Every structure is written in C-alpha cells, then in structure tokens.
C-alpha cells in the first residue's frame, strides 16, 4: 500500500514510519506545519510542530530512506482546533483539542489530502490497535495502559479506521525508545510533548485571557452569595479547585469547587465536592467506530484521556446519546468527550452536552 506516515518529529512517529517501511509499504513521510509562527527551538518539553521538530522528522526520514515533505495546515489547524478551543471555553465548555485535532486534521484534512494524491492510508505514532473483526476493522486499546490513546481516537468512524495504521499499539513506550536507539534515531531520548501543543507554557488561563481580554465577574456559591471575583469565566472549568481566590470561606471550612460556569451572566458557581458527582450524561455529535448501537447497551464509559473506565448503559438516538453510569463520576464538564468501550474495543464517542443525576 502507498502510505503517508505523519511524522511529528518525535520518537513515536519515527518508529511508526520505520515499521511501516519494514512491513513492505511504500511510505512517504509528512510533517504537518500547524503553527503560523513556529519557533526555531523548543522552550521545553511542551508543545510540538516547531522548526526543530520538522528537522528531526526529516533526519529520521533520511535515515530510513523515504521521501519527506512538509504540508502547511496552519490555517486549517487555527480554524478547526485553536479557534474552536477559544469558542468552547467562551461558551462555558471544556474542549479536548487533541481529540479535535485527530477528528478534523490528522484523520480528515491529512487523510483527505493523502487520498486525493493517490495514497491508500495514513499511519501515525498513536498508541492504539486496529483489529480485523467480523464487522470490519476495529479500534482497540493499546497494550501499554499508561500510553493508551484510544480515547482521543474515539472520534474515528469505520471509513477512517479502514485507512489508518497505528503500528505502535502492541508495544510499550520503553520498548519504543529502545527500538529507536537501536535504529540510530537521534530522537530516541527526545522528551514527549504534552498538554496543549499550542500553549507551550501550559498556562491555559493566561493564554485565553490574552486573546479574550479580562472580563471581570462574580464567583457565587449555590445560594447566589458572592464569595469572590474572577477576570473571566472562560478560564474556569467544572471540578476546578485551585486558583479560585475566594474571599469568603465556608463556616465549616469545606473545600469548594467549580460546579457550573454561566457564560451568559459571566458567573462562576462554586460548591462542595459532593455536588460534583453525576451519573447521567447526555452527549451529542455521536461518532461510531462501526454500526451505531441499537437500544440499550452495556459499555464502559471513559470521560477523560487517562481517566478510569466506568461501567454504564448507553442508549443512542440519532446524533445523540444518553449514558447512565453505574457509579457517580466527578468533575464532568460540558465539552468533554465520553468514549464508550466494549472490553478493549472502542464502540464510539460523543461530546458531553450536559450531566446530572438519575
């Protein structure tokens, strides 16, 4: 097969590309230029897609003997990931930009361009497995639970899975680094990028404030009493405890958490930890890794990238889904994704629109 190997400049995508070559595919390495002002060098282990990363990817491609190109998708990334991220926080929601990037960039824009140029599939360094099942290709968890990335791939549908390869899913991260060293890759010990790639310093609140400006408002308790002020409700998320700066403590000394963000009134609502527990989730923008489930179905529900899987019952209805958890989960915010599993297999996903209690 003719395969585009997405090469970020990191160790994972380097080994993935090499494995695709050894599997007998005709491979072309592609680095996605996603930043409109890429720095020459990294400031830390955070972030990705710098000029330095492109150079690292090119050196790996040269070593394994494949053609290498840089595809500029900065404008598309800004519109579909960065602008979406800002809009979601403005609306009082908590988005997952990595999941959105997979949905709209790596397995939409990149895959579409690859297919238009005559390629058959895209390979990435994600930690997940694709298994040929009775109904077609299935997305499964990676063997390394610490690195499993099936959650952020839960947005892929059956057609996208049919044209995707994840060569690292059967290997642990230490083994990948050892393999990269054996292959002589200079990126073998390169730190992983983490958090949000376009917020290199990790300060999401500061990043949002620089773009949206300060928008002072009240922090209130569940009785409506003003207990503090904020500089923008967009910088808060359900379940948050740190950085609230409350001026009026509870008489019983109990810690308080963000339990709601109301963008219309620019208000942040805080309450005690017990108010965070929910066991009923409604989601929209449902995506299925195969046929949509019919009627009620027992599943495992995962609510964040490295969160625990909670037994649940899911009921699909068109583009929407209702998930009833067997036990309550805390800190579930609108805008997060719920990914549904059947054992190690991903069933599908949805964006959480609201959460409450049965």
């Amino acid at each position: 097969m003719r395969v585009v190997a997405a090469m970020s400049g990191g160790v994972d995508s380097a080994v993935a590309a090499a494995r695709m070559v050894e599997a007998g595919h005709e491979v072309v390495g592609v680095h996605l230029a996603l930043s409109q002002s890429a720095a020459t060098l990294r400031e830390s282990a955070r972030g990705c897609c710098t000029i330095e990363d492109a150079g690292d990817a090119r050196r790996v491609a040269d070593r394994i003997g494949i053609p290498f190109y840089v595809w500029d998708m900065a404008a598309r990334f800004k519109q579909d990931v960065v602008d979406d991220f800002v809009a979601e926080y403005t609306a009082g929601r908590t988005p997952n930009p990595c999941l959105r990037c997979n949905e709209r960039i790596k397995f939409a824009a990149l895959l579409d361009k690859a297919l238009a140029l005559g390629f058959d599939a895209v390979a990435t360094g994600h930690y997940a497995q694709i298994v040929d099942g009775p109904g077609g290709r299935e997305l499964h968890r990676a063997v390394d639970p610490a690195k499993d990335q099936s959650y952020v791939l839960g947005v892929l549908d059956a057609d996208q899975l049919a044209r995707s390869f994840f060569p690292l899913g059967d290997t642990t991260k230490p083994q990948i680094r050892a393999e990269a060293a054996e292959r002589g890759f200079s990126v073998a010990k390169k730190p992983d990028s983490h958090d949000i790639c376009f917020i290199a310093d990790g300060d999401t609140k500061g990043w949002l404030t620089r773009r949206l400006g300060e928008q002072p408002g009240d922090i209130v308790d569940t009785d409506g009493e003003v207990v503090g002020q904020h500089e923008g409700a967009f910088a808060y998320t359900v379940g948050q405890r740190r950085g609230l700066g409350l001026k009026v403590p509870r008489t019983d000394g109990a810690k308080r958490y963000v339990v709601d963000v109301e963008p219309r009134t620019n208000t942040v609502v805080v309450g005690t930890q017990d108010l965070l527990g929910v066991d009923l989730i409604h989601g929209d923008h449902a995506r299925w890794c195969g046929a949509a489930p019919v009627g009620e179905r027992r599943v495992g529900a995962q609510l964040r990238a490295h969160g625990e899987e909670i037994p649940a019952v899911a009921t699909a209805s068109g583009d929407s889904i209702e998930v009833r958890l067997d036990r309550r989960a805390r800190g579930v915010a609108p805008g997060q994704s719920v990914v549904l599993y059947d054992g190690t297999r991903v069933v599908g996903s949805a964006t959480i629109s609201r959460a409450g209690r049965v």
Side-chain angles (χ1 to χ4, degrees), residues 75-89:
R76 179 73 179 266
F77 182 78
K78 179 182 181 301
Q79 173 184 321
D80 288 352
V81 180
V82 179
D83 291 350
D84 174 82
F85 181 84
V86 174
E88 286 288 275
Y89 267 103

Side-chain angles (χ1 to χ4, degrees), residues 12 21 42 68 87 98 144 149-150 155 180 208 226 298 318 338 343:
D12 295 328
V21 172
R42 286 171 173 241
F68 178 82
C98 296
D144 186 346
Q149 293 174 296
S150 59
V155 291
L208 288 168
V226 176
R298 292 292 305 180
V338 53

Side-chain angles (χ1 to χ4, degrees), residues 253-294:
K255 294 183 175 67
R256 286 183 288 197
Y257 301 76
V258 175
V259 296
D260 193 16
V261 178
E262 300 177 355
R264 184 179 60 82
T265 59
N266 193 31
T267 302
V268 176
V269 183
V270 295
T272 52
Q273 189 178 47
D274 61 293
L275 298 178
L276 292 175
V278 300
D279 53 14
L280 178 63
I281 293 170
H282 296 274
D284 52 25
H285 188 54
R287 305 264 294 188
W288 305 108
C289 301
V294 177

Side-chain angles (χ1 to χ4, degrees), residues 18 32 35 59 156 225 270 357:
L32 298 184
S35 173
R59 283 186 285 275
L156 303 186
E225 179 186 356
V270 295
R357 297 182 179 180

Side-chain angles (χ1 to χ4, degrees), residues 310-325:
I310 301 175
V313 174
T315 306
S317 177
D319 189 49
S320 301
I321 190 168
E322 178 184 277
V323 181
R324 286 179 281 120
L325 305 175

Side-chain angles (χ1 to χ4, degrees), residues 213-344:
E214 292 186 1
Q215 300 176 22
D218 293 332
I219 301 177
V220 303
D221 64 17
T222 52
D223 294 324
E225 179 186 356
V226 176
V227 294
Q229 280 74 44
H230 62 75
E231 297 175 350
F234 54 78
Y236 295 80
T237 185
V238 172
Q240 179 178 336
R241 180 175 71 85
R242 298 184 182 277
L244 300 183
L246 303 181
K247 306 300 183 184
V248 181
R250 280 179 57 95
T251 56
D252 60 4
K255 294 183 175 67
R256 286 183 288 197
Y257 301 76
V258 175
V259 296
D260 193 16
V261 178
E262 300 177 355
R264 184 179 60 82
T265 59
N266 193 31
T267 302
V268 176
V269 183
V270 295
T272 52
Q273 189 178 47
D274 61 293
L275 298 178
L276 292 175
V278 300
D279 53 14
L280 178 63
I281 293 170
H282 296 274
D284 52 25
H285 188 54
R287 305 264 294 188
W288 305 108
C289 301
V294 177
E296 293 187 347
R297 177 168 181 174
R298 292 292 305 180
V299 295
Q302 188 170 328
L303 303 172
R304 48 183 57 85
H306 297 290
E308 65 172 335
E309 184 179 313
I310 301 175
V313 174
T315 306
S317 177
D319 189 49
S320 301
I321 190 168
E322 178 184 277
V323 181
R324 286 179 281 120
L325 305 175
D326 285 6
R327 62 177 182 273
R328 288 178 178 171
R330 292 174 176 168
V332 179
Q336 291 177 201
S337 291
V338 53
V339 176
L340 308 177
Y341 292 82
D342 180 2
T344 63

Side-chain angles (χ1 to χ4, degrees), residues 30-231:
V30 170
H31 178 80
L32 298 184
L34 302 180
S35 173
Q36 294 179 314
S37 57
T40 301
L41 299 174
R42 286 171 173 241
E43 296 178 356
S44 67
R46 297 179 185 271
C48 64
C49 311
T50 64
I51 294 173
E52 180 188 15
D53 292 319
D56 287 341
R58 183 181 296 277
R59 283 186 285 275
V60 169
D62 289 344
R63 187 166 185 86
I64 60 180
I66 61 173
F68 178 82
Y69 301 93
V70 175
W71 288 358
D72 184 356
M73 292 192 177
R76 179 73 179 266
F77 182 78
K78 179 182 181 301
Q79 173 184 321
D80 288 352
V81 180
V82 179
D83 291 350
D84 174 82
F85 181 84
V86 174
E88 286 288 275
Y89 267 103
T90 302
R93 295 157 64 89
T94 303
N96 185 316
C98 296
L99 192 147
R100 190 72 75 240
C101 183
N102 286 333
E103 176 187 7
R104 299 182 180 179
I105 305 297
K106 294 176 183 174
F107 298 95
L110 172 63
L111 179 57
D112 289 347
K113 183 172 182 177
L115 296 178
L117 291 173
F119 290 90
D120 302 302
V122 165
T124 72
H126 285 100
Y127 284 81
Q129 298 186 88
I130 292 180
V131 177
D132 290 324
R137 301 187 91 195
E138 299 174 350
L139 177 64
H140 285 249
R141 291 189 184 276
V143 299
D144 186 346
K147 294 299 295 182
D148 174 53
Q149 293 174 296
S150 59
Y151 176 87
V152 295
L153 296 169
V155 291
L156 303 186
D157 60 27
D159 291 339
Q160 292 169 322
L161 286 176
R163 296 184 178 276
S164 301
F165 287 97
F166 306 124
L168 309 188
D170 63 351
T171 315
T172 66
K173 183 60 179 262
Q175 291 172 325
I176 291 298
R177 287 201 180 277
E179 181 176 333
E182 291 172 1
R183 294 179 182 274
F185 293 165
S186 60
V187 296
K189 295 183 179 180
K190 185 175 180 178
D192 292 338
S193 60
H194 60 95
D195 292 331
I196 301 171
C197 68
F198 52 86
I199 305 179
D201 63 2
D203 181 9
T204 301
K205 178 180 179 179
W207 188 90
L208 288 168
T209 302
R210 288 191 292 274
R211 279 151 184 79
L212 298 172
E214 292 186 1
Q215 300 176 22
D218 293 332
I219 301 177
V220 303
D221 64 17
T222 52
D223 294 324
E225 179 186 356
V226 176
V227 294
Q229 280 74 44
H230 62 75
E231 297 175 350

